[in-house]
Amino acid sequence: MGLLERSVLIARLLSLLLACLAPAAAGAALLELSSDRAADDFTGVAWVLADAPAELSAEQALVSDAFETVDAPRITFSRQTRPAWVRLPLVNASAADAQWMMLTRRATLEVLDIWLERDGALQRVFDYENLEQRISSLRRYVTLAAPIGLDAGERATLLIRFKAPVSGWLPMKIVPVELLPQEILRLLALFIACVVGTAALVTYSLVLFVATRRSLYVLYALATSMLLLETLNLQGITTALITPAAPGLGLSLFSAMPVTAAAALYLAFASRFLEIPPGTRLAPIT
């Protein structure tokens, strides 16, 4: 065999070797968890299976080669017909054992099961059908949360199965337990502002009603209260606390009722405020 033939053969062997190593290298990307900062960018490290077979088990999903990498910081899909899977390889990059919480701001889901694989063993850390765990999580963290505990330098895999009622959007963040108070406060900031602002408007309307005895101010207070109820619904609080056993029913009920009631009440308020008798037909503008 001449020198040229040997060079071609070596080049082909190297190409085959690189082709074999490419999938392993691609799958070796890990989300490095630190004890002093949260992780919420999953570009290139999360793997998703959007249209998973219904009979797929957690053990099968852990080793399935049908997953595709996420090429964006957030995990999103189009409208779901079946539960999707997310596989997230992790490593504790800190020098000591540490604890994190996986938080998702989307509290209203149809399915959310979370497992943590450590040393080949799968442990379920969150079960959406466990009503006590779900409500406890919402009351303690203002969102759904799953614990993650890793030894120093340990590698693990977070496995998530979920289905949303409208679109496949899973806003999630992995937060060190030391930073949880700040994260919860951040989640609560906008919600608290809405509640305080709404309460102030309702209180002012009721004061005006007591002073003037005009019922239109009660209509305004009720309409504003409906908007607060819709805010609670967007946070997932109404379905979790009022209809926890049937989140789908709660979502359907509380998505339409507050907005419809608020529109009707504001219309009645405007009619009273402008002193337009109900049923009056307005002349067209010429």
Side-chain angles (χ1 to χ4, degrees), residues 167-188:
S167 62
W169 172 54
L170 186 65
M172 55 181 282
K173 179 182 286 190
I174 300 178
V175 182
V177 292
E178 294 82 3
L179 301 181
L180 272 177
Q182 298 95 307
E183 183 64 24
I184 294 173
L185 183 61
R186 189 187 68 81
L187 290 172
L188 280 173

Side-chain angles (χ1 to χ4, degrees), residues 54 83 107-115 124-138 144-145 161-163 240 243-248:
T108 304
L109 294 165
E110 294 180 8
V111 175
L112 182 63
D113 297 314
I114 304 175
W115 294 265
R124 178 174 287 192
V125 293
F126 188 87
D127 181 3
Y128 193 76
E129 293 186 357
N130 186 328
L131 184 59
E132 182 179 352
Q133 184 181 22
R134 193 192 331 158
I135 294 180
S136 174
S137 176
L138 285 168
L144 301 180
R161 177 177 178 263
F162 82 101
K163 184 177 185 298
T243 59

